[in-house]
Amino acid sequence: MARVTAKAQAIDDLRIAEYPGSFGIDAPEQLRQRIAQSLAPQIIERLRSHPISAAQRPTAALRPDRVVFSGNHWEINRHYAQQDWTDGLAIVPPTTERVEHFMKFVEHAPDEEVAILPPAQRRAVPWTIAVNAVMAGCEPWHMPILMAAVKALADHRFNIGNMGSTSALLPFVLLNGLLVKELGFESRAQLMSRGANPVIGRALGLIFKNIAGFISGQNYMGTFGYPLVFTLAEDEDGSPWESFAVEQGFPAETSTVTLGVTNNWGPAPSPTSTVERSGAQVTLDVICRELVKKKRAYTFPGSGEHAEKAMITVLLTATLAQSLHTAGYTKQAVKQYLWENTRISLREFEWITRYTTAKERSSPREKAAAGVFSPEYAGAPDDLVRLLAGPEILHIIVCGDPHRNRLMTLEGGHAEPTTKRIELPPDWRTLVEHAKANYR
Protein backbone atom coordinates (compact mmCIF):
# COMPACT_ATOMS: atom_id res chain seq x y z
CA MET A 1 0.00 0.00 0.00
CA ALA A 2 2.90 2.36 0.76
CA ARG A 3 4.27 1.86 -2.75
CA VAL A 4 0.89 2.57 -4.33
CA THR A 5 0.48 5.74 -2.24
CA ALA A 6 4.00 6.89 -3.16
CA LYS A 7 3.34 6.28 -6.83
CA ALA A 8 0.26 8.50 -6.57
CA GLN A 9 2.54 11.29 -5.34
CA ALA A 10 5.03 10.72 -8.20
CA ILE A 11 7.62 9.14 -5.87
CA ASP A 12 9.11 6.26 -7.82
CA ASP A 13 11.91 5.11 -5.49
CA LEU A 14 10.31 5.02 -2.04
CA ARG A 15 12.30 3.24 0.68
CA ILE A 16 10.05 1.13 2.91
CA ALA A 17 10.65 -0.15 6.45
CA GLU A 18 8.16 -2.83 7.46
CA TYR A 19 7.06 -3.67 11.00
CA PRO A 20 7.13 -7.48 11.39
CA GLY A 21 3.85 -7.93 13.24
CA SER A 22 0.53 -6.27 14.03
CA PHE A 23 0.40 -2.95 15.87
CA GLY A 24 -3.14 -3.66 17.00
CA ILE A 25 -2.43 -7.07 18.57
CA ASP A 26 1.20 -7.07 19.76
CA ALA A 27 1.77 -6.49 23.48
CA PRO A 28 3.72 -3.35 24.48
CA GLU A 29 6.91 -5.31 25.24
CA GLN A 30 6.65 -7.14 21.92
CA LEU A 31 6.17 -3.79 20.16
CA ARG A 32 9.32 -2.38 21.75
CA GLN A 33 11.33 -5.50 20.94
CA ARG A 34 10.28 -5.67 17.29
CA ILE A 35 10.83 -1.94 16.77
CA ALA A 36 14.31 -2.13 18.30
CA GLN A 37 15.41 -5.36 16.61
CA SER A 38 13.76 -5.06 13.21
CA LEU A 39 12.02 -1.79 12.38
CA ALA A 40 14.62 0.71 13.62
CA PRO A 41 17.54 -0.97 11.78
CA GLN A 42 15.47 -0.96 8.59
CA ILE A 43 14.73 2.76 8.96
CA ILE A 44 18.41 3.58 9.51
CA GLU A 45 19.48 1.50 6.53
CA ARG A 46 16.84 3.11 4.27
CA LEU A 47 17.83 6.63 5.36
CA ARG A 48 21.47 5.90 4.57
CA SER A 49 20.61 4.81 1.05
CA HIS A 50 20.32 7.37 -1.76
CA PRO A 51 17.60 10.00 -1.22
CA ILE A 52 14.07 9.79 -2.51
CA SER A 53 13.32 11.77 -5.63
CA ALA A 54 10.07 13.01 -7.09
CA ALA A 55 9.71 12.04 -10.72
CA GLN A 56 7.63 13.84 -13.27
CA ARG A 57 5.40 11.34 -14.97
CA PRO A 58 4.44 12.05 -18.58
CA THR A 59 0.75 12.48 -19.24
CA ALA A 60 -0.48 10.37 -22.11
CA ALA A 61 -2.76 12.14 -24.56
CA LEU A 62 -6.33 10.84 -24.63
CA ARG A 63 -7.19 9.06 -27.87
CA PRO A 64 -10.96 8.48 -27.95
CA ASP A 65 -10.63 6.43 -31.12
CA ARG A 66 -8.12 3.99 -29.62
CA VAL A 67 -9.37 0.39 -29.55
CA VAL A 68 -7.94 -1.52 -26.59
CA PHE A 69 -9.43 -4.89 -27.54
CA SER A 70 -11.59 -6.48 -30.22
CA GLY A 71 -13.70 -9.58 -29.80
CA ASN A 72 -17.18 -10.87 -29.05
CA HIS A 73 -19.10 -10.04 -25.87
CA TRP A 74 -17.59 -12.87 -23.82
CA GLU A 75 -14.06 -12.31 -25.07
CA ILE A 76 -14.27 -8.62 -24.20
CA ASN A 77 -15.56 -9.40 -20.73
CA ARG A 78 -12.80 -11.92 -20.14
CA HIS A 79 -10.13 -9.47 -21.30
CA TYR A 80 -11.45 -6.63 -19.13
CA ALA A 81 -11.60 -8.95 -16.12
CA GLN A 82 -8.02 -10.09 -16.72
CA GLN A 83 -6.90 -6.45 -16.82
CA ASP A 84 -8.76 -5.88 -13.51
CA TRP A 85 -10.93 -3.17 -15.07
CA THR A 86 -14.23 -4.62 -13.79
CA ASP A 87 -15.95 -5.18 -10.46
CA GLY A 88 -16.06 -8.93 -11.05
CA LEU A 89 -19.39 -8.81 -12.87
CA ALA A 90 -20.10 -8.79 -16.59
CA ILE A 91 -19.86 -5.39 -18.27
CA VAL A 92 -21.40 -3.71 -21.30
CA PRO A 93 -18.54 -3.35 -23.82
CA PRO A 94 -17.68 0.38 -24.06
CA THR A 95 -17.62 0.78 -27.82
CA THR A 96 -16.80 4.15 -29.33
CA GLU A 97 -20.37 4.46 -30.62
CA ARG A 98 -21.86 3.86 -27.17
CA VAL A 99 -19.51 6.30 -25.47
CA GLU A 100 -20.31 8.98 -28.05
CA HIS A 101 -23.99 8.76 -27.11
CA PHE A 102 -23.02 9.71 -23.54
CA MET A 103 -20.86 12.58 -24.74
CA LYS A 104 -23.92 14.32 -26.20
CA PHE A 105 -25.12 14.97 -22.64
CA VAL A 106 -22.12 17.09 -21.60
CA GLU A 107 -20.96 20.47 -22.83
CA HIS A 108 -17.28 19.64 -22.50
CA ALA A 109 -14.57 18.34 -24.78
CA PRO A 110 -13.88 14.61 -24.37
CA ASP A 111 -10.50 15.29 -22.74
CA GLU A 112 -11.48 18.35 -20.67
CA GLU A 113 -10.47 17.94 -17.04
CA VAL A 114 -13.42 17.51 -14.66
CA ALA A 115 -11.31 16.61 -11.62
CA ILE A 116 -8.05 15.02 -10.53
CA LEU A 117 -8.77 11.99 -8.37
CA PRO A 118 -6.37 10.59 -5.76
CA PRO A 119 -4.74 8.25 -5.05
CA ALA A 120 -3.77 7.63 -8.70
CA GLN A 121 -3.92 11.39 -9.38
CA ARG A 122 -5.53 10.66 -12.74
CA ARG A 123 -7.51 13.25 -14.67
CA ALA A 124 -11.19 12.40 -14.76
CA VAL A 125 -12.45 13.59 -18.15
CA PRO A 126 -15.87 13.16 -19.78
CA TRP A 127 -14.67 10.38 -22.08
CA THR A 128 -13.28 8.14 -19.32
CA ILE A 129 -16.28 8.85 -17.08
CA ALA A 130 -18.54 7.78 -19.96
CA VAL A 131 -16.52 4.62 -20.57
CA ASN A 132 -17.09 3.49 -16.99
CA ALA A 133 -20.77 4.47 -17.20
CA VAL A 134 -21.26 2.32 -20.30
CA MET A 135 -19.50 -0.61 -18.62
CA ALA A 136 -21.85 -0.31 -15.61
CA GLY A 137 -24.97 -0.47 -17.77
CA CYS A 138 -25.97 3.18 -17.43
CA GLU A 139 -28.09 5.02 -19.97
CA PRO A 140 -26.65 8.07 -21.78
CA TRP A 141 -28.91 10.46 -19.85
CA HIS A 142 -27.23 9.38 -16.60
CA MET A 143 -24.07 11.21 -17.68
CA PRO A 144 -24.85 14.58 -15.98
CA ILE A 145 -25.37 12.73 -12.67
CA LEU A 146 -21.99 11.04 -12.93
CA MET A 147 -20.25 14.28 -13.92
CA ALA A 148 -21.58 15.88 -10.71
CA ALA A 149 -20.65 12.79 -8.69
CA VAL A 150 -17.04 12.95 -9.91
CA LYS A 151 -16.86 16.59 -8.82
CA ALA A 152 -18.09 15.49 -5.39
CA LEU A 153 -15.42 12.78 -5.27
CA ALA A 154 -12.75 15.44 -5.76
CA ASP A 155 -14.18 17.82 -3.13
CA HIS A 156 -11.97 18.10 -0.02
CA ARG A 157 -14.99 17.45 2.20
CA PHE A 158 -15.35 13.95 0.80
CA ASN A 159 -11.69 13.31 1.64
CA ILE A 160 -11.19 10.58 -0.95
CA GLY A 161 -7.59 10.01 0.10
CA ASN A 162 -8.70 8.18 3.25
CA MET A 163 -11.12 5.77 1.57
CA GLY A 164 -8.67 2.85 1.53
CA SER A 165 -8.99 2.14 5.27
CA THR A 166 -9.09 -1.48 6.45
CA SER A 167 -12.40 -0.64 8.15
CA ALA A 168 -13.95 -0.80 4.63
CA LEU A 169 -15.36 2.67 4.02
CA LEU A 170 -17.88 2.45 1.20
CA PRO A 171 -19.09 5.47 -0.81
CA PHE A 172 -22.81 5.78 -1.43
CA VAL A 173 -24.91 8.07 -3.63
CA LEU A 174 -27.99 10.10 -2.69
CA LEU A 175 -30.19 11.74 -5.33
CA ASN A 176 -32.62 14.61 -4.79
CA GLY A 177 -34.83 16.72 -7.01
CA LEU A 178 -37.00 16.46 -10.10
CA LEU A 179 -34.69 14.03 -11.93
CA VAL A 180 -35.49 11.27 -9.43
CA LYS A 181 -38.95 10.72 -10.88
CA GLU A 182 -38.12 11.81 -14.41
CA LEU A 183 -35.38 9.22 -14.84
CA GLY A 184 -36.98 6.37 -12.94
CA PHE A 185 -34.97 6.31 -9.73
CA GLU A 186 -36.57 4.54 -6.79
CA SER A 187 -37.00 6.31 -3.47
CA ARG A 188 -39.38 3.87 -1.81
CA ALA A 189 -39.59 0.09 -1.33
CA GLN A 190 -36.36 -1.80 -2.04
CA LEU A 191 -34.91 1.37 -3.54
CA MET A 192 -31.23 0.40 -3.61
CA SER A 193 -32.08 -2.70 -5.67
CA ARG A 194 -34.62 -1.28 -8.12
CA GLY A 195 -35.08 1.20 -10.94
CA ALA A 196 -32.02 3.02 -12.23
CA ASN A 197 -30.42 3.07 -8.77
CA PRO A 198 -28.05 0.06 -9.09
CA VAL A 199 -26.27 1.21 -12.27
CA ILE A 200 -25.40 4.66 -10.87
CA GLY A 201 -23.76 3.09 -7.82
CA ARG A 202 -21.97 0.56 -9.98
CA ALA A 203 -20.66 3.28 -12.33
CA LEU A 204 -19.31 5.27 -9.40
CA GLY A 205 -17.60 2.13 -8.10
CA LEU A 206 -15.90 1.58 -11.46
CA ILE A 207 -14.82 5.24 -11.58
CA PHE A 208 -13.50 4.83 -8.04
CA LYS A 209 -11.41 1.91 -9.27
CA ASN A 210 -10.41 2.76 -12.84
CA ILE A 211 -9.90 6.52 -12.56
CA ALA A 212 -9.26 7.23 -8.86
CA GLY A 213 -7.17 4.07 -8.68
CA PHE A 214 -8.58 2.24 -5.63
CA ILE A 215 -7.59 -1.38 -6.20
CA SER A 216 -8.63 -4.10 -3.75
CA GLY A 217 -5.60 -5.69 -2.14
CA GLN A 218 -3.30 -2.80 -3.07
CA ASN A 219 -4.71 0.41 -1.61
CA TYR A 220 -8.39 -0.45 -1.07
CA MET A 221 -7.86 -2.56 1.99
CA GLY A 222 -11.24 -3.37 3.56
CA THR A 223 -10.56 -6.41 5.74
CA PHE A 224 -13.52 -8.40 4.43
CA GLY A 225 -13.89 -6.57 1.12
CA TYR A 226 -16.72 -4.37 -0.12
CA PRO A 227 -20.28 -4.64 -1.39
CA LEU A 228 -21.11 -2.65 -4.53
CA VAL A 229 -21.56 1.11 -4.17
CA PHE A 230 -25.29 1.77 -3.70
CA THR A 231 -27.63 4.60 -4.64
CA LEU A 232 -30.45 6.09 -2.57
CA ALA A 233 -33.05 8.66 -3.61
CA GLU A 234 -35.00 10.66 -1.05
CA ASP A 235 -38.76 10.15 -0.84
CA GLU A 236 -39.52 13.85 -1.04
CA ASP A 237 -43.25 13.32 -1.60
CA GLY A 238 -43.55 11.12 1.49
CA SER A 239 -41.37 13.26 3.72
CA PRO A 240 -42.99 15.89 5.98
CA TRP A 241 -39.71 17.81 6.10
CA GLU A 242 -37.39 19.72 3.77
CA SER A 243 -35.21 17.50 1.61
CA PHE A 244 -31.56 16.80 2.28
CA ALA A 245 -30.61 18.99 -0.72
CA VAL A 246 -32.61 21.92 0.67
CA GLU A 247 -30.78 21.49 3.98
CA GLN A 248 -27.54 21.90 2.01
CA GLY A 249 -28.75 25.23 0.60
CA PHE A 250 -30.13 24.19 -2.81
CA PRO A 251 -33.58 25.29 -4.10
CA ALA A 252 -36.25 22.59 -3.83
CA GLU A 253 -36.56 22.22 -7.62
CA THR A 254 -32.82 21.67 -8.11
CA SER A 255 -31.59 18.15 -8.81
CA THR A 256 -28.50 17.18 -6.82
CA VAL A 257 -26.18 14.27 -6.16
CA THR A 258 -24.63 13.72 -2.74
CA LEU A 259 -21.78 11.38 -1.87
CA GLY A 260 -21.49 9.95 1.60
CA VAL A 261 -19.61 7.06 3.19
CA THR A 262 -20.59 4.20 5.43
CA ASN A 263 -18.98 1.25 7.16
CA ASN A 264 -22.19 -0.74 7.35
CA TRP A 265 -25.52 -1.67 5.82
CA GLY A 266 -28.23 -2.93 8.22
CA PRO A 267 -29.85 -3.97 10.49
CA ALA A 268 -33.25 -2.26 10.13
CA PRO A 269 -35.19 -2.26 13.42
CA SER A 270 -38.93 -1.48 13.44
CA PRO A 271 -40.02 0.84 16.27
CA THR A 272 -43.49 -0.03 17.57
CA SER A 273 -45.84 2.08 19.66
CA THR A 274 -47.26 0.74 22.94
CA VAL A 275 -49.82 1.93 25.46
CA GLU A 276 -47.15 3.70 27.50
CA ARG A 277 -44.91 4.99 24.68
CA SER A 278 -45.76 6.64 21.38
CA GLY A 279 -44.31 5.47 18.08
CA ALA A 280 -42.39 8.74 17.78
CA GLN A 281 -40.77 8.33 21.20
CA VAL A 282 -39.86 4.70 20.53
CA THR A 283 -38.33 5.71 17.18
CA LEU A 284 -36.07 8.26 18.84
CA ASP A 285 -35.05 5.84 21.58
CA VAL A 286 -34.30 3.06 19.09
CA ILE A 287 -31.99 5.37 17.12
CA CYS A 288 -30.17 6.32 20.33
CA ARG A 289 -29.67 2.63 21.13
CA GLU A 290 -28.47 1.89 17.61
CA LEU A 291 -25.83 4.62 17.65
CA VAL A 292 -24.05 3.37 20.78
CA LYS A 293 -23.49 0.00 19.03
CA LYS A 294 -21.48 1.48 16.17
CA LYS A 295 -17.88 0.45 15.56
CA ARG A 296 -16.79 4.05 14.98
CA ALA A 297 -18.38 5.24 18.23
CA TYR A 298 -14.94 6.25 19.52
CA THR A 299 -14.87 9.04 16.87
CA PHE A 300 -18.39 10.39 17.47
CA PRO A 301 -17.58 12.79 20.38
CA GLY A 302 -14.61 14.42 18.66
CA SER A 303 -14.65 18.01 17.41
CA GLY A 304 -12.08 20.51 16.20
CA GLU A 305 -9.11 20.21 13.86
CA HIS A 306 -7.52 17.31 15.76
CA ALA A 307 -10.63 15.12 15.73
CA GLU A 308 -11.32 12.38 13.20
CA LYS A 309 -14.35 13.24 11.09
CA ALA A 310 -17.47 11.14 11.45
CA MET A 311 -20.82 11.16 9.67
CA ILE A 312 -23.99 9.37 10.73
CA THR A 313 -26.81 8.86 8.24
CA VAL A 314 -30.24 7.93 9.57
CA LEU A 315 -32.63 6.38 7.07
CA LEU A 316 -36.30 6.67 8.03
CA THR A 317 -39.33 5.41 6.17
CA ALA A 318 -42.03 7.99 5.53
CA THR A 319 -44.23 6.26 8.15
CA LEU A 320 -41.72 6.98 10.90
CA ALA A 321 -40.96 10.48 9.63
CA GLN A 322 -44.68 11.33 9.63
CA SER A 323 -45.08 10.04 13.19
CA LEU A 324 -42.22 12.25 14.36
CA HIS A 325 -43.65 15.22 12.46
CA THR A 326 -47.09 14.67 14.00
CA ALA A 327 -45.45 14.63 17.43
CA GLY A 328 -44.02 18.08 16.68
CA TYR A 329 -40.47 17.18 15.63
CA THR A 330 -38.68 18.99 12.82
CA LYS A 331 -35.54 17.43 11.35
CA GLN A 332 -33.43 19.73 13.48
CA ALA A 333 -35.42 18.82 16.59
CA VAL A 334 -34.82 15.12 15.90
CA LYS A 335 -31.08 15.75 15.60
CA GLN A 336 -31.11 17.81 18.79
CA TYR A 337 -32.89 15.04 20.68
CA LEU A 338 -30.43 12.42 19.45
CA TRP A 339 -27.48 14.58 20.42
CA GLU A 340 -28.80 15.16 23.92
CA ASN A 341 -30.00 11.60 24.59
CA THR A 342 -27.54 9.26 22.89
CA ARG A 343 -25.47 8.52 25.96
CA ILE A 344 -22.93 5.96 27.12
CA SER A 345 -21.14 5.40 30.40
CA LEU A 346 -17.55 6.62 30.48
CA ARG A 347 -16.55 3.14 31.65
CA GLU A 348 -18.05 1.54 28.52
CA PHE A 349 -16.68 4.24 26.22
CA GLU A 350 -13.17 3.84 27.60
CA TRP A 351 -13.39 0.07 27.10
CA ILE A 352 -14.35 0.65 23.43
CA THR A 353 -11.48 3.06 22.81
CA ARG A 354 -8.96 0.92 24.68
CA TYR A 355 -9.75 -2.48 23.21
CA THR A 356 -11.42 -2.07 19.81
CA THR A 357 -9.13 0.31 17.96
CA ALA A 358 -5.36 0.10 17.76
CA LYS A 359 -4.75 3.79 17.19
CA GLU A 360 -6.66 5.19 20.18
CA ARG A 361 -4.02 5.32 22.91
CA SER A 362 -5.24 8.56 24.55
CA SER A 363 -7.85 8.17 27.27
CA PRO A 364 -11.18 10.04 27.11
CA ARG A 365 -9.97 12.18 30.02
CA GLU A 366 -6.82 13.13 28.08
CA LYS A 367 -8.87 13.99 25.00
CA ALA A 368 -11.17 16.15 27.13
CA ALA A 369 -8.14 17.98 28.50
CA ALA A 370 -6.89 18.54 24.92
CA GLY A 371 -10.26 19.96 23.87
CA VAL A 372 -11.03 17.15 21.40
CA PHE A 373 -13.85 15.79 23.61
CA SER A 374 -16.22 17.87 25.73
CA PRO A 375 -15.38 18.41 29.44
CA GLU A 376 -17.95 15.81 30.53
CA TYR A 377 -15.48 13.12 29.33
CA ALA A 378 -13.28 13.99 32.32
CA GLY A 379 -15.96 12.70 34.71
CA ALA A 380 -16.38 9.56 36.81
CA PRO A 381 -16.50 6.06 35.22
CA ASP A 382 -20.24 5.63 35.72
CA ASP A 383 -21.18 9.07 34.37
CA LEU A 384 -23.42 8.96 31.28
CA VAL A 385 -21.89 11.22 28.64
CA ARG A 386 -23.24 12.40 25.28
CA LEU A 387 -21.77 10.19 22.57
CA LEU A 388 -22.17 12.68 19.71
CA ALA A 389 -20.08 15.82 19.24
CA GLY A 390 -23.15 17.72 18.09
CA PRO A 391 -26.33 17.54 15.98
CA GLU A 392 -24.34 18.46 12.86
CA ILE A 393 -22.84 14.97 12.39
CA LEU A 394 -26.36 13.55 11.97
CA HIS A 395 -28.00 13.42 8.52
CA ILE A 396 -31.61 12.28 8.08
CA ILE A 397 -32.90 10.80 4.82
CA VAL A 398 -36.53 9.77 4.29
CA CYS A 399 -36.68 6.77 1.97
CA GLY A 400 -37.67 3.12 1.78
CA ASP A 401 -41.03 1.34 1.89
CA PRO A 402 -43.55 3.92 3.16
CA HIS A 403 -45.80 1.13 4.47
CA ARG A 404 -43.15 -0.16 6.87
CA ASN A 405 -42.02 1.25 10.20
CA ARG A 406 -38.29 0.68 9.75
CA LEU A 407 -35.11 2.67 10.14
CA MET A 408 -31.40 2.19 9.59
CA THR A 409 -28.34 3.98 10.91
CA LEU A 410 -25.18 4.20 8.79
CA GLU A 411 -21.81 5.20 10.24
CA GLY A 412 -18.88 6.55 8.27
CA GLY A 413 -15.55 8.15 8.97
CA HIS A 414 -13.05 10.66 7.55
CA ALA A 415 -15.65 12.34 5.31
CA GLU A 416 -18.55 14.74 5.23
CA PRO A 417 -21.53 14.37 2.88
CA THR A 418 -20.74 16.33 -0.27
CA THR A 419 -23.52 17.66 -2.51
CA LYS A 420 -23.27 18.97 -6.09
CA ARG A 421 -25.83 20.40 -8.49
CA ILE A 422 -26.62 18.22 -11.53
CA GLU A 423 -26.10 20.40 -14.60
CA LEU A 424 -28.31 19.51 -17.59
CA PRO A 425 -27.60 20.48 -21.22
CA PRO A 426 -29.97 23.09 -22.76
CA ASP A 427 -31.63 20.59 -25.11
CA TRP A 428 -32.03 17.99 -22.35
CA ARG A 429 -35.40 16.49 -23.23
CA THR A 430 -34.66 16.31 -26.95
CA LEU A 431 -31.42 14.49 -26.17
CA VAL A 432 -33.20 12.03 -23.87
CA GLU A 433 -35.80 11.18 -26.51
CA HIS A 434 -33.13 10.75 -29.16
CA ALA A 435 -31.07 8.46 -26.92
CA LYS A 436 -34.12 6.34 -26.01
CA ALA A 437 -34.75 5.78 -29.69
CA ASN A 438 -31.17 5.17 -30.80
CA TYR A 439 -28.93 3.94 -27.97
CA ARG A 440 -28.18 0.22 -28.19
Side-chain angles (χ1 to χ4, degrees):
M1 186 172 180
R3 289 188 178 90
V4 173
T5 302
K7 186 177 180 181
Q9 303 301 322
I11 300 173
D12 295 328
D13 55 354
L14 182 69
R15 301 295 183 262
I16 295 175
E18 185 173 351
Y19 176 77
S22 172
F23 282 113
I25 298 298
D26 289 353
E29 183 56 39
Q30 196 173 29
L31 277 168
R32 284 190 288 270
Q33 182 180 20
R34 287 179 167 174
I35 290 171
Q37 295 180 359
S38 178
L39 187 60
Q42 290 183 64
I43 293 172
I44 293 169
E45 191 276 329
R46 304 302 188 267
L47 290 174
R48 285 174 174 168
S49 62
H50 63 274
I52 297 168
S53 63
Q56 292 295 321
R57 230 185 270 107
T59 303
L62 179 68
R63 287 183 51 204
D65 59 339
R66 186 168 71 96
V67 175
V68 299
F69 187 80
S70 295
N72 64 33
H73 181 85
W74 300 111
E75 290 168 341
I76 291 170
N77 266 275
R78 187 177 299 114
H79 177 77
Y80 272 57
Q82 290 170 345
Q83 299 303 311
D84 201 18
W85 293 339
T86 77
D87 51 15
L89 301 176
I91 59 157
V92 177
T95 63
T96 300
E97 182 182 7
R98 288 186 177 123
V99 174
E100 285 174 345
H101 275 284
F102 281 70
M103 293 304 303
K104 295 174 183 176
F105 284 82
V106 296
E107 297 185 289
H108 301 274
D111 63 347
E112 183 178 337
E113 185 178 297
V114 177
I116 296 178
L117 298 182
Q121 303 295 351
R122 294 193 188 107
R123 295 169 66 245
V125 300
W127 189 270
T128 55
I129 294 168
V131 166
N132 286 277
V134 172
M135 290 167 60
C138 289
E139 301 283 6
W141 49 88
H142 294 153
M143 188 64 177
I145 298 172
L146 294 172
M147 291 283 286
V150 167
K151 293 174 184 177
L153 277 178
D155 192 297
H156 72 278
R157 292 170 296 174
F158 185 73
N159 197 14
I160 190 174
N162 274 312
M163 292 300 110
S165 166
T166 57
S167 67
L169 289 165
L170 180 73
F172 68 87
V173 180
L174 170 67
L175 298 175
N176 280 101
L178 301 177
L179 281 184
V180 170
K181 284 185 176 179
E182 183 177 341
L183 298 185
F185 290 99
E186 290 289 344
S187 63
R188 295 189 168 185
Q190 300 84 51
L191 70 160
M192 66 177 288
S193 306
R194 296 175 62 190
N197 300 42
V199 294
I200 295 296
R202 188 184 183 199
L204 188 72
L206 289 172
I207 290 167
F208 208 65
K209 179 177 187 175
N210 293 327
I211 302 179
F214 281 97
I215 309 298
S216 290
Q218 295 184 26
N219 60 350
Y220 203 32
M221 304 300 288
T223 302
F224 300 105
Y226 303 85
L228 294 179
V229 176
F230 60 89
T231 299
L232 307 173
E234 189 157 21
D235 182 7
E236 296 182 19
D237 290 342
S239 174
W241 301 313
E242 70 278 15
S243 73
F244 183 85
V246 170
E247 286 186 279
Q248 307 310 303
F250 292 90
E253 66 276 7
T254 301
S255 293
T256 64
V257 59
T258 299
L259 296 190
V261 295
T262 181
N263 281 108
N264 69 292
W265 178 262
S270 53
T272 304
S273 61
T274 61
V275 173
E276 68 275 10
R277 296 176 79 81
S278 68
Q281 186 60 53
V282 174
T283 297
L284 294 171
D285 293 343
V286 167
I287 298 173
C288 290
R289 288 171 178 261
E290 286 293 300
L291 294 180
V292 297
K293 301 175 187 176
K294 297 304 183 187
K295 185 269 174 192
R296 304 193 75 90
Y298 67 91
T299 68
F300 293 170
S303 61
E305 61 177 331
H306 299 298
E308 183 178 321
K309 289 181 181 178
M311 61 172 286
I312 298 168
T313 308
V314 180
L315 308 183
L316 295 175
T317 60
T319 298
L320 295 181
Q322 290 287 354
S323 72
L324 289 165
H325 176 69
T326 301
Y329 286 93
T330 62
K331 262 190 182 181
Q332 188 56 39
V334 170
K335 295 176 187 180
Q336 188 74 18
Y337 181 94
L338 298 176
W339 171 56
E340 292 173 352
N341 293 279
T342 302
R343 293 180 177 264
I344 189 172
S345 72
L346 265 176
R347 187 187 306 278
E348 177 68 11
F349 185 84
E350 185 157 12
W351 193 97
I352 290 170
T353 59
R354 186 174 180 83
Y355 296 114
T356 68
T357 175
K359 63 183 177 182
E360 289 299 320
R361 298 304 185 191
S362 299
S363 70
R365 182 177 294 275
E366 289 169 333
K367 288 201 168 188
V372 178
F373 288 174
S374 67
E376 61 191 301
Y377 277 79
D382 292 322
D383 287 355
L384 290 176
V385 295
R386 287 174 294 191
L387 181 62
L388 310 179
E392 65 278 358
I393 72 169
L394 292 157
H395 311 282
I396 298 172
I397 311 297
V398 179
C399 61
D401 191 338
H403 304 297
R404 297 289 181 265
N405 55 322
R406 291 195 179 273
L407 62 87
M408 190 179 293
T409 54
L410 308 179
E411 56 172 329
H414 301 297
E416 302 172 37
T418 306
T419 305
K420 299 294 182 181
R421 181 192 305 269
I422 299 170
E423 304 285 351
L424 302 181
D427 49 351
W428 163 252
R429 285 187 169 78
T430 301
L431 287 170
V432 171
E433 291 305 314
H434 182 268
K436 286 182 177 179
N438 294 282
Y439 181 67
R440 300 289 184 271

